[in-house]
Amino acid sequence: MNADPTESSLPSETGVARAELRVSDLGATVDFYRDVVGLTVRERTETSAALGTAERRLLDLRAAPGAPARGRGEAGLFHLAFLLPSRAALGAALERIEGTWELSGASDHAVSEALYLRDPEGNGVEIYRDTPPETWPRSDGRVGIDTLPLDLEAVRAAHTDRNAAASEESVPPETQLGHVHLEVTDLDAAVGFYRDGIGFGVTHEHGDEAAFLAAGDYHHHLGLNTWQGRREPKREDGRGLVAYEIAVPNAAALEAVAERLADAAGIDIEDGPADGTLAVTDPDGIRVRIAVED
């Protein structure tokens, strides 16, 4: 991948707001995100559900029992990453996972501590907490993201106050959707779209197979990789990630995104910024909404 400028054109207050998944078994998927991840069910119908915290909606689920499963060569979601405010909250999440589900991985990334698992539909899920930003390795405008074994005993030990206001059964109210990580077909094309069109800066590269992008000086709001050799864009009607939303702090920031997208060749803006929202589709068929933060 070409070495490109790292500076973000997005305000530092930008973040990932929420994501939408299309699922075959709504009941089992709701149960997983409520009982294992620890989200609160905010709304529920026979065909959809919205989950998050008491303060914000983080995940929308749409039932589609007949929708085709994601193909082996198809681009799409690598994982959704839920950001917790503390190591103690991560310890509570680890207890939920080990009590009711299966942990598929755990890593110390130097910038964060992360637990990995898969939902009932096979979608990747990361639950993580950031380490103090002043300790993040940095060089020449980049962030050093590593992958080392996580000390699970230390994470468990951090969760000691059984009477804490934040329940063991649910995530704290400060929880956010910290980042989205995608499997793409062409890394250069994906980076170009999110850097030149949306306005993220490149913060870290892993050879020619992965790139991490962010607004401001965060380690990453978006991960992109070609590790599994995906060669086909995501099916429009398939299961898995349908869309995710990027929240910008004000109308001026949204207008700037609209202008960058208009200047970037081959990008069609589906909705204009007049109503506070833009919608575009990335090179791999993932719908991206950019909206002024609620």
Side-chain angles (χ1 to χ4, degrees), residues 19-42:
E20 179 182 343
L21 299 177
R22 184 179 292 121
V23 302
S24 61
D25 189 332
L26 182 63
T29 310
V30 168
D31 289 348
F32 168 84
Y33 283 100
R34 181 192 63 210
D35 301 335
V36 181
V37 177
L39 302 182
T40 297
V41 179
R42 295 168 57 94

Side-chain angles (χ1 to χ4, degrees), residues 5 14 18 21 38 40 42 63 68 72 91 93 125 139 149 152 166 184 191 202 212 215 233 248-249 260 268:
T14 300
R18 61 186 63 90
L21 299 177
T40 297
R42 295 168 57 94
R72 293 179 62 87
V125 177
S139 178
L152 292 176
V184 303
V191 168
V202 178
F212 300 84
V248 295
R260 283 192 296 273
D268 295 325

Side-chain angles (χ1 to χ4, degrees), residues 71-101:
R72 293 179 62 87
E74 198 176 316
L77 182 67
F78 188 59
H79 60 240
L80 296 177
F82 296 94
L83 173 60
L84 305 179
S86 67
R87 196 184 225 194
L90 190 65
L94 178 59
E95 289 194 11
R96 286 194 301 274
I97 295 166
E98 292 181 325
T100 59
W101 208 254

Side-chain angles (χ1 to χ4, degrees), residues 135-157:
T135 69
W136 297 351
R138 296 183 186 271
S139 178
D140 298 325
R142 301 290 175 106
V143 180
I145 300 175
D146 210 335
T147 301
L148 303 169
L150 180 60
D151 185 346
L152 292 176
E153 287 303 321
V155 172
R156 289 189 190 97

Side-chain angles (χ1 to χ4, degrees), residues 152-178:
L152 292 176
E153 287 303 321
V155 172
R156 289 189 190 97
H159 181 235
T160 57
D161 185 0
R162 302 292 180 175
N163 298 313
S167 167
E168 294 176 9
E169 298 179 357
S170 59
V171 296
E174 305 94 329
T175 299
Q176 305 171 46
L177 185 58

